[in-house]
Amino acid sequence: MKQFTRFQGVVAPLDRANVDTDLIIPKQFLKSIKRTGFGVNLFDELRYLDEGQPGQDCANRPINPDFVLNQPRYQNAEVLLARRNFGCGSSREHAPWALEDFGFRVVIAPSFADIFYNNAFKNGLLLVVLAEDTVDRLFNAVDASPDYALDVDLERQQVTLPDGESLSFEVDAFRKHCLLEGLDDIGITLQDEDAIRAFEAKHRARRPWLFRDSA
Amino acid sequence: MAAQTLYDKLWEQHLVKQRDDGTALIYIDRHMLHEVTSPQAFEGLRLANRRPWRLDSNLATTDHNVPTTLVERAQGNKGIKDPVSLIQVQTLDDNCREYGIVEFGINDPRQGIVHVVGPEQGATLPGMTVVCGDSHTATHGAFGALAHGIGTSEVEHVLATQCLLTQKMKNMQVRVEGELGLGITAKDVVLAIIGKIGTAGGTGHAIEFAGSVIEALSMEGRMTVCNMAIEAGARVGMIAVDDTTIDYIGNRPYSPTGEQWEAAVADWRELVSDADAAFDKVVTLDAAEIEPQVSWGTSPEMVTGISGQVPDPRAASDDTVAHSHTRALEYMGLSANQKITDIHLDKVFIGSCTNSRIEDLRAAAAVAKGQTVADNIKLAMVVPGSGLVKRQAEEEGLDKIFIEAGFEWREPGCSMCLAMNADKLGAGEHCASTSNRNFEGRQGYGGRTHLVSPAMAAAAAIAGHFVDVRRLPANDQSHAKKA
Ligand code: SF4
């Protein structure tokens, strides 16, 4: 997994609540059996004026000029500023894959949907929860100044504004550790292989009907 | 011992290890797989040179991409015209073959939507932890199981370790008390719940549905309710075990038998929240206030009763809500204060893991019987949840009722619930749909979805617009109760 320590990037604002995973990456792109290449179809239905198809060359598609990520000033954005309940809907991990493939490293919002939250961290995408009024304030600030950038420091759990103001955020210790070190969950879990085997033996003895092969 | 909720008990029974940092390893009993969220997980296993931990816990089926016409299905995988879909389906077949995982392939009579197949096979049992790379895995919680959706990295993790690395959620109880009016179904109950608590109302919580209304529901109805826990923001929805649960499970292919059955039933009887268990959050609904529901917007919480109207964004409680209502009305092509019964309809879809089980098809057929689909409805389709549901419906003659009324009777799969196959809405088309999500583009680019119960969908197909099923003659026969 990609490591995340400290990072500074331009912010793009997506002023819309309840952004669902279908909006982040429409289902026709879920047909891929790969983990990469979803970036050109991130927010496909908002970004282009036609209906996108997997495998298509997006360079010649009609662009929706009103969509925020199409505006020149946000072309190199790496931090996405969003509204409440971002990432609701399906469990598709294609959503964080698409955000990352596009170039986002951080999403800031007042709240995130549970499964999306999990999926993002497992892919090195940092999600930062800030209070609703703070997020409001950031939306106004981004709007007012081109190239508005934030400094995000995971180690210190701080977002620093261009004027030097620091905002702290919560992140649980395990997720933080994995992200800082770029650790793979499976490897960590398999260090507990003995505990899993011991549990499994007990579980089988107690509830054999859960194991088809002991029926 | 302190009083425990159902969720607390299930959690404790599967806890392998609690870590100091708050995360925990939970043992997984049943892992269901489908073609969309598994290829990258198998690829990960292969790259790391790992094997599945316990084969017999896994069960796979293809559902999202499969075509639903008989002509296409007769050709097996070759009937999948879209080459990208075909690769995905073949990849699941290949992975299951390579690793020795049981799969119900495209023409297996047991094939179907993963959340219909598991319970139908008895592969979902009370007291299990059930996961699947699909957010509607909450469906299985109807059996007193701890069930939720996971992402692809987690699919790989479960395959490799038989465990899920997770954190305990908070406990939430949603009580629905009283008695449902005639024609009001489980779908209306869950839509009303979502309308009340919102799509983030259950975030971070495991929801237990309880109360006299939930207890009176059949297993099909309970699955419909738990299925949409995710639309209320909760990964987990569950219902305590009772006789209804146990009766449903008996004699299914994967269910225990003989002495193990007796022991299992005794164990399952414990799967209820203790009387004095504490919940972090409790919400109560009065059944008498629940009307047949219709969603008008682009989020499942944008829902109202059949006698209601589309809201006026100017009356919204705050700016963010006003903003999203305005956008939703624009996308849906509706105007403020428009009556629900005046919404123009183009298509009707009866199916999906929310409402494609036998009881759902019976309810729709009871309304469609002897009637004709209205001229303005370009397509009304019924897609059974599995091959076995289809067979049973045909044994009961439901297929004939639908076909005679002008519905198309299809082969099982997810179909127009998310339109990954050829079943889609055209841009601007309105659809009365028994599925679970009305997001923009969900049922096809530019498509407009209205979530309803099967009886409401069938009635809308006949009338050509939404009507109140409580006013239909079919309701005199009380079909909405368990047939
Ligand atoms: S029927 Fe719809 S919601 Fe259910 S699993 Fe299939 S696509 Fe997902």
Side-chain angles (χ1 to χ4, degrees):
Chain A
M1 190 176 79
K2 224 187 298 174
Q3 255 177 305
F4 189 107
T5 45
R6 181 173 171 183
F7 165 84
Q8 187 169 28
V10 170
V11 184
L14 184 63
D15 192 2
R16 166 171 186 141
N18 297 314
V19 168
D20 58 74
T21 50
D22 283 71
L23 206 59
I24 298 174
I25 181 90
K27 71 254 159 185
Q28 63 269 36
F29 305 108
L30 271 50
K31 293 178 182 179
S32 167
I33 57 169
K34 304 203 196 77
R35 279 177 195 256
T36 52
F38 297 103
V40 287
N41 301 112
L42 175 70
F43 299 120
D44 201 271
E45 289 177 9
L46 299 176
R47 214 160 132 197
Y48 305 98
L49 294 170
D50 63 346
E51 181 180 1
Q53 291 308 328
Q56 167 191 31
D57 178 9
C58 294
N60 300 319
R61 292 177 59 193
I63 295 283
N64 172 7
D66 295 337
F67 181 54
V68 63
L69 293 185
N70 287 333
Q71 295 171 18
R73 61 185 280 200
Y74 299 122
Q75 281 313 299
N76 299 315
E78 291 169 287
V79 177
L80 184 66
L81 183 64
R83 295 289 185 185
R84 64 176 91 132
N85 200 26
F86 186 86
C88 61
S90 85
S91 64
R92 64 187 68 160
E93 206 154 311
H94 312 68
W97 294 339
L99 285 160
E100 285 209 303
D101 200 56
F102 181 88
F104 286 115
R105 301 291 319 275
V106 182
V107 185
I108 299 176
S111 59
F112 294 93
D114 286 345
I115 302 182
F116 176 78
Y117 193 81
N118 253 313
N119 286 342
F121 276 89
K122 293 197 189 302
N123 288 281
L125 180 68
L126 177 63
L127 304 186
V128 173
V129 177
L130 294 176
E132 192 125 28
D133 53 346
T134 310
V135 169
D136 264 344
R137 200 149 59 83
L138 290 177
F139 266 99
N140 291 334
V142 172
D143 217 34
S145 43
D147 294 326
Y148 188 88
L150 290 172
D151 179 282
V152 183
D153 186 337
L154 176 59
E155 178 70 54
R156 289 167 55 225
Q157 298 181 213
Q158 264 178 359
V159 176
T160 308
L161 278 49
D163 64 5
E165 181 189 349
S166 271
L167 308 165
S168 59
F169 62 90
E170 294 293 323
V171 55
D172 76 70
F174 180 74
R175 286 200 176 99
K176 177 176 173 179
H177 173 71
C178 290
L179 218 49
L180 286 173
E181 306 292 330
L183 290 177
D184 152 31
D185 278 1
I186 298 180
I188 300 176
T189 298
L190 287 175
Q191 291 171 1
D192 285 320
E193 193 172 336
D194 293 344
I196 302 171
R197 295 221 182 272
F199 176 90
E200 190 169 52
K202 224 177 55 198
H203 197 50
R204 183 192 286 266
R206 172 91 181 75
R207 298 187 170 87
W209 55 86
L210 297 177
F211 296 75
R212 284 269 282 165
D213 50 8
S214 44
Chain B
M1 199 171 54
Q4 289 183 304
T5 64
L6 170 57
Y7 174 60
D8 295 337
K9 292 181 186 181
L10 292 167
W11 175 267
E12 194 180 273
Q13 287 177 9
H14 293 87
L15 184 63
V16 174
K17 186 172 177 171
Q18 177 72 55
R19 298 213 173 104
D20 297 338
D21 58 24
T23 59
L25 276 185
I26 292 293
Y27 189 82
I28 299 304
D29 296 313
R30 174 70 63 220
H31 182 212
M32 309 271 316
L33 297 124
H34 64 82
E35 76 274 17
V36 180
T37 52
S38 63
Q40 295 88 350
F42 282 109
E43 187 61 21
L45 277 192
R46 216 168 276 127
L47 289 173
N49 222 348
R50 291 175 175 134
R51 306 281 315 168
W53 180 281
R54 178 159 80 84
L55 284 178
D56 81 310
S57 117
N58 296 285
L59 182 61
T61 188
T62 49
D63 53 8
H64 285 63
N65 282 281
V66 298
T68 58
T69 67
L70 197 55
V71 180
E72 293 163 306
R73 286 293 272 273
Q75 304 164 55
N77 284 356
K78 287 201 200 73
I80 305 175
K81 290 198 199 83
D82 177 348
V84 198
S85 288
L86 176 61
I87 290 175
Q88 202 164 54
V89 169
Q90 278 172 340
T91 304
L92 181 66
D93 292 353
D94 293 346
N95 282 324
C96 288
R97 200 170 313 121
E98 177 180 342
Y99 289 103
I101 289 171
V102 175
E103 186 204 8
F104 301 158
I106 191 163
N107 279 346
D108 189 301
R110 300 164 296 179
Q111 175 273 345
I113 306 171
V114 67
H115 311 306
V116 175
V117 167
E120 179 176 79
Q121 289 296 314
T124 302
L125 295 174
M128 272 185 165
T129 41
V130 181
V131 293
C132 173
D134 191 287
S135 57
H136 289 100
T137 310
T139 311
H140 308 256
F143 291 83
L146 173 54
H148 61 75
I150 56 177
T152 298
S153 294
E154 291 174 316
V155 169
E156 184 182 337
H157 190 278
V158 170
L159 279 169
T161 71
Q162 208 57 45
C163 290
L164 189 65
L165 190 59
T166 186
Q167 272 169 313
K168 197 170 177 205
M169 302 169 208
K170 288 189 184 145
N171 279 291
M172 176 166 178
Q173 190 185 46
V174 175
R175 305 191 63 84
V176 190
E177 301 286 7
E179 207 180 319
L180 292 179
L182 210 54
I184 314 290
T185 66
K187 182 63 163 292
D188 303 303
V189 170
V190 72
L191 285 172
I193 292 170
I194 296 161
K196 177 164 175 147
I197 70 174
T199 51
T203 303
H205 292 78
I207 298 183
E208 180 180 347
F209 298 98
S212 54
V213 166
I214 303 295
E215 285 162 26
L217 290 176
S218 65
M219 282 319 294
E220 281 90 345
R222 293 179 188 186
M223 284 189 257
T224 301
V225 171
C226 289
N227 175 273
M228 291 191 72
I230 187 73
E231 274 68 46
R235 296 178 75 176
V236 167
M238 59 177 105
I239 293 172
V241 173
D242 62 9
D243 289 343
T244 306
T245 327
I246 290 167
D247 290 347
Y248 180 97
I249 297 164
N251 298 317
R252 294 191 180 259
Y254 280 63
S255 304
T257 50
E259 266 171 48
Q260 274 196 12
W261 169 258
E262 299 302 326
V265 170
D267 191 56
W268 296 340
R269 292 280 180 199
E270 306 290 318
L271 297 172
V272 295
S273 287
D274 295 335
D276 47 348
F279 289 87
D280 300 288
K281 207 167 167 181
V282 179
V283 175
T284 307
L285 272 81
D286 177 0
E289 285 167 16
I290 303 177
E291 285 196 283
Q293 302 282 302
V294 180
S295 77
W296 52 266
T298 52
S299 162
E301 69 187 22
M302 297 175 177
V303 68
T304 188
I306 180 70
S307 61
Q309 52 193 36
V310 175
D312 186 339
R314 283 168 300 188
S317 54
D318 71 39
D319 281 357
T320 312
V321 174
H323 206 56
S324 49
H325 281 194
T326 305
R327 194 192 301 269
L329 291 194
E330 205 174 296
Y331 180 84
M332 296 296 289
L334 298 174
S335 41
N337 303 319
Q338 187 174 349
K339 277 165 65 187
I340 295 295
T341 46
D342 288 346
I343 296 172
H344 169 87
L345 288 176
D346 303 283
K347 288 182 175 165
V348 174
F349 170 64
I350 298 174
S352 90
C353 58
T354 315
N355 283 127
S356 63
R357 298 179 181 83
I358 190 67
E359 182 183 286
D360 302 315
L361 303 191
R362 285 182 193 139
V367 173
K369 191 168 185 163
Q371 308 286 330
T372 311
V373 170
D375 287 343
N376 61 305
I377 303 295
K378 294 179 235 170
L379 170 71
M381 62 194 301
V382 184
V383 187
S386 72
L388 296 180
V389 169
K390 180 170 187 255
R391 195 171 72 192
Q392 179 164 0
E394 288 174 351
E395 279 167 15
E396 296 179 16
L398 305 185
D399 56 327
K400 292 204 184 60
I401 294 177
F402 287 123
I403 292 166
E404 276 163 20
F407 288 82
E408 293 196 12
W409 178 246
R410 297 291 188 94
E411 299 299 303
C414 294
S415 180
M416 206 157 70
C417 172
L418 94 166
M420 269 185 91
N421 68 356
D423 310 335
K424 289 184 177 92
L425 293 184
E429 285 180 340
H430 286 264
C431 180
S433 177
T434 65
S435 56
N436 43 49
R437 287 188 175 142
N438 51 355
F439 299 151
E440 289 182 23
R442 171 80 178 182
Q443 293 194 286
Y445 184 75
R448 296 160 169 171
T449 303
H450 300 278
L451 304 173
V452 287
S453 75
M456 283 287 287
I462 304 301
H465 58 88
F466 290 115
V467 290
D468 190 337
V469 287
R470 293 173 297 183
R471 308 247 163 82
L472 298 182
N475 266 324
D476 295 339
Q477 294 140 37
S478 72
H479 71 275
K481 299 272 162 182
K482 198 173 152 75

